[in-house]
Amino acid sequence: MIPEHWNPQTPPLEVIQWALEHYPDLIITSAFNLNGVVLLELAAQAGYTGEVVFVDTGYHFPETLETRDRLSARYPQMRFVTLSAGLPPDPWGEERFRSDPDGCCNVRKVAPLRAYLSEKNPSALLNARSRDQAPTRQGLGFLEPGQRLRINPLAYWHRAQLEAFAQTHQLFVNPLYWSGFLSIGCWPCTRAVRPGEEARAGRWAGRGKTECGLWQGEQAL
């Protein structure tokens, strides 16, 4: 399935162009982190005019929602879709993220996206994950089998390349990123990354959890 000439140095733009040619109904999923911002710019350069799907868990930082709105204005040719489980905030002190972060992610993030994808039934998902984000992602390649094909154009790019691309193209990056929040999820379960830590070390720190469940686990997309 993967073109024979592809290798870790293959430009992400080439991967996206190939994806649009072979899977024209693909959908982009994003939480608008640095990787996601870069992916949207590359997708725009490749001519993508489809959906960009984001799940609002009810616990996102205001800066994340601002980033979504800024990107939506920058790329009017794309349709930005915000999903929600429709759940109110849990009672103070009884929030699921305190005692059951997996369950919280499942009901507020994974379930709404799985339901939407079941309805839309795209043949592939274009996402922005890369190998250097966490040990759980070190085996990523451009193409990844799953319930539907997952295409990872940025699999081999490292953080310095992503930052340079964002600066060269004057992209709006979540302001929290420059304060050390190298991977930004829900505010109760996200902290700034400490020197020497991987990009996703600030997600669910101390909770024995490394992934939200969208890409790994029984409910993975």
Side-chain angles (χ1 to χ4, degrees):
M1 181 183 296
I2 188 169
E4 292 183 0
H5 68 280
W6 281 7
N7 59 65
Q9 284 70 51
T10 298
L13 183 59
E14 179 179 333
V15 178
I16 297 172
Q17 290 169 332
W18 175 91
L20 294 180
E21 178 183 351
H22 290 82
Y23 301 93
D25 65 333
L26 65 79
I27 286 176
I28 293 178
T29 59
S30 185
F32 310 123
N33 279 285
L34 171 64
N35 289 48
V37 171
V38 170
L39 178 65
L40 288 181
E41 174 63 22
L42 288 165
Q45 293 179 16
Y48 181 69
T49 59
E51 293 186 350
V52 179
V53 182
F54 165 75
V55 183
D56 187 351
T57 63
Y59 289 113
H60 280 294
F61 290 95
E63 292 87 345
T64 299
L65 302 181
E66 176 194 5
T67 302
R68 174 201 58 189
D69 295 343
R70 293 281 293 267
L71 293 170
S72 178
R74 181 181 175 101
Y75 304 110
Q77 72 274 34
M78 303 180 194
R79 179 174 172 240
F80 282 67
V81 178
T82 296
L83 306 178
S84 171
L87 299 174
D90 293 323
W92 176 255
E94 300 178 17
E95 297 94 343
R96 294 187 67 166
F97 61 75
R98 294 177 185 263
S99 60
D100 183 17
D102 285 337
C104 187
C105 286
N106 187 52
V107 298
R108 290 184 175 271
K109 188 173 186 179
V110 178
L113 185 50
R114 282 184 61 87
Y116 187 75
L117 294 178
S118 293
E119 175 187 339
K120 299 289 292 189
N121 196 30
S123 58
L125 300 177
L126 192 65
N127 77 96
R129 289 173 299 149
S130 58
R131 287 181 166 217
D132 75 339
Q133 289 177 315
T136 52
R137 301 183 175 186
Q138 289 178 353
L140 279 179
F142 288 129
L143 304 182
E144 180 184 18
Q147 186 171 343
R148 50 186 57 81
L149 183 65
R150 303 184 297 205
I151 304 170
N152 313 308
L154 300 175
Y156 297 97
W157 268 25
H158 51 72
R159 183 152 54 94
Q161 288 175 288
L162 295 162
E163 289 181 354
F165 184 93
Q167 292 167 355
T168 297
H169 294 274
Q170 298 182 319
L171 304 183
F172 182 81
V173 176
N174 190 322
L176 292 172
Y177 179 85
W178 307 113
S179 299
F181 289 76
L182 303 186
S183 180
I184 305 164
C186 298
W187 66 261
C189 298
T190 304
R191 65 160 171 79
V193 172
R194 299 175 182 131
E197 290 183 328
E198 73 233 13
R200 288 176 62 83
R203 301 288 293 278
W204 308 286
R207 297 174 183 264
K209 179 176 171 65
T210 56
E211 295 280 349
C212 65
L214 289 179
W215 307 109
Q216 293 188 10
E218 295 180 358
Q219 296 297 312
L221 303 180

